[in-house]
Amino acid sequence: MDSEQIKKLDKENIMPTYGRYDVCITRGKGVYAYDSEGKEYIDVSSGIGVNSLGYCNEGWVKAVTEQAGKIQHISNYYYSEVAGILAEKLTKATGLSKVFFGNSGAEANECAIKAARKYSFDKYGENRNEIITLKNSFHGRTIATLSATGQEVFHNYFFPFVGGFKYAEANDIESLKEMISDKTCGIMVETVQGEGGVNILDSHYLQTLRKICTEKDILMIVDEVQTGVCRTGKLYGYMHSGIKPDIVTSAKGLGGGLPIGVCMVCDKLKDVMGPSTHGTTFGSNPVVCAGANYVMDTVNNEAFMGEVNKKGAYIKEKVSEIKGVNSVRQQGLMIGIEIQGNAGDIAKKCAENGLLIITAKTLLRMLPPLNITYEEIDKAISILTKVMEENI
Ligand SMILES: *Cc1c(COP(=O)(O)O)cnc(C)c1O
């Protein structure tokens, strides 16, 4: 099919929930994506940080296809080898005790919210169920995770929302303290707010938050759906601050392009979610877990993470020099670019010029594949530079 036919099919049959760029991708390799007409795009968005090893990485494809040929799905009533192996990789790497596998970030956060409330219910009874989240956060699109999201624009149309959420100012301990009460059971934060504009929480804030949570037996929940799996240059973003949360969620980059969400809990929560308290049909899918195992084996080592940090710093340095760029916020390969002019318009122009870059609020955002090369980075930056020079 040519691009016009694909667009027509889409417009006639798919709900218009996304404002799409004028781009129809039909195949990809590494950092490059192609449409039916053979137009080449360099993709520094990785499908919103999902394709952590780029498009169709050879080892990943092999792991996934081999697993698909062995067994593609079994229900959670039976034991699964690949799921067990992935779970052990995650618990060993984080020091957390147990995991629950779902299929998306929102679903991982749903499990986190349920686990926090259940822990508190078991120990303190019915009324200790509030969760504090941060302004400008993003936690997902289900009704509960929309309710958890601290942005008014998400609290429309779908009433009634779920009660029991309060929103504090990010990086402001006093604002947090004011909201804590004897009803608080959890505090949920992203270490870098991705959708909210690449806002980095500072280490001291996270460390103080950890201390407060420990003192009051409030669960510290870290939503690492976007920041996880080496995106920020550590396996998980909280690891930059030397703390250990009680609950961590991970999704986007974990499967290398296949849908997975995981909720990981510390020792005191390991048995809180007992039989029939939670479940999901597709959770711990063997093909998906095989992809995630390959990603974990590739990224979770010092050498790989060192490269992620070096490349991130390199991008920050180069992008800062572009005319019309005001500032760059960067941790690892999670990069927010504050510019003069409209980020949405610039992103659109970039797509026309063969660069796939996304936005976060008023910023441009890059989440390139974690194994992008310097040559590819230079190429992406040269397109961005040209577009900025022509349009700002
Ligand atoms: C993307 C995202 C989510 C939602 O993940 P889905 O897979 O779209 O449900 C939740 N939290 C954060 C921090 C995210 O970036």
Side-chain angles (χ1 to χ4, degrees), residues 104-106 109 138-140 190 223 225-226 252:
S104 69
N109 288 337
F138 182 79
H139 297 297
E190 300 152 86
D223 175 350
V225 168
Q226 190 159 154
K252 288 190 166 86

Side-chain angles (χ1 to χ4, degrees), residues 79 146 234 282 291-292 343:
Y79 293 96
L146 278 179
K234 293 265 188 195
F282 290 111

Side-chain angles (χ1 to χ4, degrees), residues 32 38 120 198 243 302 335 369:
Y32 293 103
S120 201
V198 194
I243 52 162
E302 288 301 323
I335 297 145

Side-chain angles (χ1 to χ4, degrees), residues 124-293:
Y124 301 97
E126 246 175 70
N127 292 318
R128 190 178 181 272
N129 52 36
E130 281 182 4
I131 295 177
I132 300 171
T133 67
L134 299 183
K135 292 186 183 161
N136 281 319
S137 59
F138 182 79
H139 297 297
R141 296 283 191 167
T142 63
I143 298 275
T145 56
L146 278 179
S147 307
T149 293
Q151 300 188 50
E152 279 309 314
V153 290
F154 289 105
H155 301 159
N156 285 312
Y157 322 124
F158 315 115
F159 303 102
F161 285 93
V162 177
F165 290 98
K166 285 184 169 175
Y167 317 104
E169 295 289 340
N171 276 334
D172 181 343
I173 284 294
E174 289 313 311
S175 162
L176 192 66
K177 279 185 177 163
E178 276 168 26
M179 290 196 179
I180 294 174
S181 72
D182 53 8
K183 287 189 172 170
T184 311
C185 74
I187 299 173
M188 174 151 80
V189 302
E190 300 152 86
T191 58
V192 182
Q193 297 182 322
E195 303 305 309
V198 194
N199 309 313
I200 302 170
L201 294 201
D202 60 62
S203 278
H204 183 254
Y205 176 81
L206 289 169
Q207 287 156 1
T208 311
L209 170 55
R210 172 67 276 180
K211 240 205 252 151
I212 292 171
C213 286
T214 304
E215 280 165 17
K216 299 183 184 292
D217 196 20
I218 291 169
L219 298 171
M220 180 176 184
I221 308 167
V222 179
D223 175 350
E224 298 259 9
V225 168
Q226 190 159 154
T227 46
V229 201
C230 297
R231 175 52 57 191
T232 70
K234 293 265 188 195
L235 182 63
Y236 286 101
Y238 71 81
M239 292 173 174
H240 288 285
S241 303
I243 52 162
K244 197 177 135 194
D246 299 304
I247 305 179
V248 176
T249 58
S250 182
K252 288 190 166 86
L254 180 56
L258 291 173
I260 186 168
V262 58
C263 174
M264 307 183 264
V265 300
C266 68
D267 197 58
K268 70 179 178 183
L269 279 96
K270 70 182 195 301
D271 297 319
V272 160
M273 299 300 277
S276 77
T277 56
H278 201 46
T280 184
T281 302
F282 290 111
S284 65
N285 176 275
V287 179
V288 175
C289 287
N293 276 323

Side-chain angles (χ1 to χ4, degrees), residues 73-76 100-103 107 261 278-285:
H73 169 82
I74 48 169
S75 91
N76 280 299
F100 176 86
F101 288 121
N103 312 287
E107 222 187 320
H278 201 46
T280 184
T281 302
F282 290 111
S284 65
N285 176 275

